[in-house]
Amino acid sequence: MKKALLATSTHGNLGRDALDRINIRALSDVSIDIVNGDRVGLVGLNGAGKTTLLKVLAGVYEPTEGRLAASGSVSSLLDTQVGLNADATGHENIILRGMYMGIHPSEMRERAPEVAAFTELGHYLDMPVRTYSAGMMIRLAFAISTCIPPDILIMDEWLTAGDAQFLEKAQRRIEDFVRGSSILVLASHSTELVERWCNRGILLHHGRIMSVGPVKEVIAAYRRLIDPSAQDAAPQMAAVG
Amino acid sequence: MYLETVSGETGRILELPAPPSRAALAATDLLDGVRKSWLWTTLAQQDVKLRYRGSILGPFWQTLTTAVMIGGMGFIYAKLFHTDLRDYLPMLTVGLIFWMFVAGMITEGCGTFVGVQGIIQQVRLPFSLHVYRLVYRNLLTLAHNFVIVPIVLAIFPHPINWMRLFELVPGLILIAITGIWVSTLLGMISARFRDVPPIVASVVQVVFFMTPIMWPVEALGPNAWWAQLNPLFAAVDVLRGPLLGQPTAKYSWTILATITVFGCAAAFAFFARFRSRIAFWV
């Protein structure tokens, strides 16, 4: 009985197996094809499986069923902190984080001035990174992770904590990449950001794809999911405007 | 053998080659780790530096601690075992330093993957990279500790066959390989079952007292042979012998080589089977 209740309330994604271990099915039946130049926005409620899907795309999780075929270099910005040493300075961390991206220190040292300039952190780069605010960390992490244009760029929700000026700068850089036929996959709760940056959307719900297609349609579906009773905002604005 | 599917949305025809076997993926992982040697050597060096950031002596703090331990234990236990300090102190010094190397890798090996959980869950890197980093870090620590050995051997000289010092090379290589397979196996098991690290730490501690490091093998008299069957003794003995001018125990090399072969096979099989699950376990 308890098993049946657990299964129904979590849409069959959470269950206990014979050895009484809890299993979580974070994603099911996700089949997508992303091509050059695509900027895909991943939307969904908390726990829908967005970060899990990003991790699968980044190669961190190997699918337990099915296959992932990715052609090109992958740069994943899932977490600002990874590879950063809190006691080291901004400059030292540029080299360090570059190493985790597979860039040899000697090569990274050549790119360091350009990265430093992009962060606009000035003399703060001489301070240990643990003194940075969240926004400063994001500037640093983004600048390092995008210093070499990747073929596939995967980003999680933290980008929205950046200030407006930084977001504009980041958008321009990403647009440059994508024009050079790179792929972007971005997960975000900010529908405005997704609409501005992406051309395609995927709506995840309880680990399944609920909607996939042009970004405007998917965002509309997402809004309907959040608030089924609300009318579409767009027609109202058109009437006013 | 190709799998052909047509993408529903984009209409693209995708031809995917047959997936490589688990063993092939594991072997690729091991090789990719070796190829990234610049990364794990730099990280290991940084690990050692960070441990002593801000201190005056730096990594030689470890050396000082070891020297104090050896000095303290040496005098007391030499008296207890009725051995000459001139014989006991070199034996203890060399034995202890190599024991700390081997046992250190075993105990630390449990945390190989759990310790870098953040990296594993964010960036795709070969898992073997974390193993190589751990072994290299322990080699660096050994190098720092080893400074004591020439000093002690100069104070209490023993006749040494200098040609035998070349035995240290295969010895160290074999033990580094031991470190690799043990860290892989224990690291994965510890990631899945979190009570393994303290168990291993306790077992290693107990085995220390059962291994002839603090006490000379001869103290066991006619029963000395079963202490020599201890694989950890074999590991230390192989390195210790050349430096003390003592013959290596009869079966030490055989035991070490056999355990290395079987250990590597077991670790590889386990790694191949469960490599893809490590990211979920940590």
Side-chain angles (χ1 to χ4, degrees):
Chain A
M1 183 64 177
K2 195 165 91 176
K3 269 195 201 160
L5 277 177
L6 194 58
T8 339
S9 64
T10 54
H11 296 254
N13 289 342
L14 213 64
R16 281 190 193 278
D17 64 9
L19 294 169
D20 214 29
R21 295 175 300 198
I22 296 189
N23 290 324
I24 302 174
R25 184 180 284 275
L27 294 168
S28 342
D29 301 319
V30 174
S31 295
I32 41 178
D33 186 16
I34 305 177
V35 300
N36 279 347
D38 267 352
R39 302 180 303 278
V40 180
L42 261 187
V43 293
L45 302 174
N46 288 332
K50 302 189 294 299
T51 305
T52 309
L53 179 58
L54 289 181
K55 287 189 178 178
V56 173
L57 293 177
V60 168
Y61 288 156
E62 293 183 21
T64 46
E65 272 176 42
R67 307 269 303 279
L68 169 75
S71 148
S73 62
V74 177
S75 180
S76 62
L77 316 187
L78 300 176
D79 176 21
T80 48
Q81 307 286 347
V82 67
L84 289 187
N85 173 4
D87 290 317
T89 66
H91 287 295
E92 286 170 346
N93 273 300
I94 289 177
I95 310 290
L96 191 53
R97 192 166 165 151
M99 287 200 317
Y100 281 104
M101 286 167 56
I103 305 173
H104 198 281
S106 50
E107 199 192 325
M108 200 64 190
R109 264 184 277 269
E110 285 173 21
R111 298 177 178 275
E114 171 200 322
V115 174
F118 189 88
T119 63
E120 291 176 3
L121 289 174
H123 287 294
Y124 272 104
L125 287 171
D126 297 321
M127 308 271 295
V129 161
R130 63 182 150 75
T131 60
Y132 288 11
S133 69
M136 292 161 78
M137 289 277 210
I138 291 173
R139 282 174 176 262
L140 184 62
F142 185 82
I144 301 170
S145 306
T146 55
C147 68
I148 295 187
D151 293 323
I152 303 171
L153 182 60
I154 297 177
M155 296 205 292
D156 209 344
E157 311 174 63
W158 52 263
L159 206 68
T160 51
D163 59 43
Q165 183 206 29
F166 167 71
L167 283 179
E168 261 199 60
K169 212 170 160 187
Q171 184 182 0
R172 263 180 278 130
R173 181 169 262 200
I174 290 180
E175 276 168 5
D176 284 341
F177 292 166
V178 180
R179 224 172 294 133
S181 79
S182 292
I183 290 176
L184 167 71
V185 183
L186 165 74
S188 180
H189 282 300
S190 162
T191 51
E192 184 200 54
L193 189 78
V194 169
E195 251 176 313
R196 211 161 8 112
W197 286 23
C198 305
N199 65 333
R200 290 178 68 198
I202 299 176
L203 172 62
L204 282 180
H205 192 54
H206 290 298
R208 289 185 165 76
I209 294 186
M210 198 171 185
S211 171
V212 60
V215 70
K216 283 210 174 357
E217 286 175 22
V218 173
I219 299 252
Y222 180 45
R223 291 212 176 97
R224 275 195 303 275
L225 183 70
I226 297 175
D227 193 357
S229 58
Q231 305 249 319
D232 227 63
Q236 285 177 343
M237 284 177 69
V240 169
Chain B
M1 188 188 88
Y2 276 63
L3 168 77
E4 207 180 270
T5 58
V6 181
S7 160
E9 322 148 59
T10 56
R12 236 173 22 147
I13 299 176
L14 306 165
E15 275 182 7
L16 299 175
S21 69
R22 283 197 189 122
L25 287 171
T28 315
D29 187 297
L30 291 172
L31 281 170
D32 284 342
V34 174
R35 263 183 235 132
K36 286 189 140 62
S37 62
W38 58 268
L39 180 53
W40 46 264
T41 48
T42 313
L43 288 175
Q45 282 162 2
Q46 189 194 49
D47 287 340
V48 176
K49 260 186 238 160
L50 275 178
R51 240 184 262 169
Y52 307 102
R53 182 166 268 210
S55 66
I56 305 170
L57 287 174
F60 291 102
W61 260 114
Q62 180 68 59
T63 320
L64 182 66
T65 331
T66 316
V68 168
M69 183 163 54
I70 289 173
M73 277 167 57
F75 285 93
I76 298 174
Y77 284 89
K79 277 269 183 319
L80 273 176
F81 293 121
H82 304 290
T83 32
D84 200 337
L85 196 66
R86 266 175 310 183
D87 295 320
Y88 185 74
L89 210 53
M91 183 202 80
L92 179 67
T93 310
V94 179
L96 199 62
I97 287 175
F98 285 127
W99 167 267
M100 283 163 61
F101 174 52
V102 179
M105 280 196 296
I106 297 176
T107 324
E108 260 187 64
C110 293
T112 316
F113 301 117
V114 177
V116 286
Q117 168 195 61
I119 300 170
I120 290 179
Q121 289 184 338
Q122 305 296 338
V123 185
R124 185 190 177 84
L125 284 171
F127 290 105
S128 56
L129 189 144
H130 310 295
V131 174
Y132 301 146
R133 173 187 183 176
L134 186 140
V135 172
Y136 190 69
R137 180 174 65 225
N138 277 280
L139 277 169
L140 288 176
T141 310
L142 172 68
H144 285 110
N145 278 336
F146 198 77
V147 166
I148 305 174
V149 172
I151 298 174
V152 169
L153 290 181
I155 300 175
F156 302 103
H158 276 81
I160 297 182
N161 179 353
W162 295 98
M163 289 304 291
R164 282 199 67 201
L165 286 179
F166 287 108
E167 275 176 41
L168 286 173
V169 174
L172 276 173
I173 293 177
L174 263 184
I175 293 182
I177 297 178
T178 305
I180 292 174
W181 75 255
V182 168
S183 309
T184 309
L185 193 56
L186 283 180
M188 289 175 74
I189 297 177
S190 304
R192 177 64 183 87
F193 301 107
R194 297 304 172 94
D195 47 7
V196 166
I199 295 175
V200 168
S202 305
V203 168
V204 167
Q205 245 191 354
V206 169
V207 173
F208 172 66
F209 291 107
M210 289 167 41
T211 312
I213 307 283
M214 263 172 39
W215 46 273
V217 187
E218 295 75 45
L220 274 180
N223 293 319
W225 61 269
W226 65 259
Q228 291 173 349
L229 286 178
N230 178 349
L232 285 170
F233 168 73
V236 174
D237 190 42
V238 151
L239 296 170
R240 188 168 69 174
L243 284 166
L244 294 177
Q246 283 169 8
T248 314
K250 200 159 143 205
Y251 293 115
S252 291
W253 280 106
T254 321
I255 294 176
L256 188 59
T258 315
I259 294 210
T260 306
V261 167
F262 282 105
C264 284
F268 185 79
F270 199 72
F271 185 56
R273 175 67 184 86
F274 293 112
R275 185 193 48 90
S276 58
R277 307 214 59 75
I278 297 177
F280 297 110
W281 286 348
V282 288

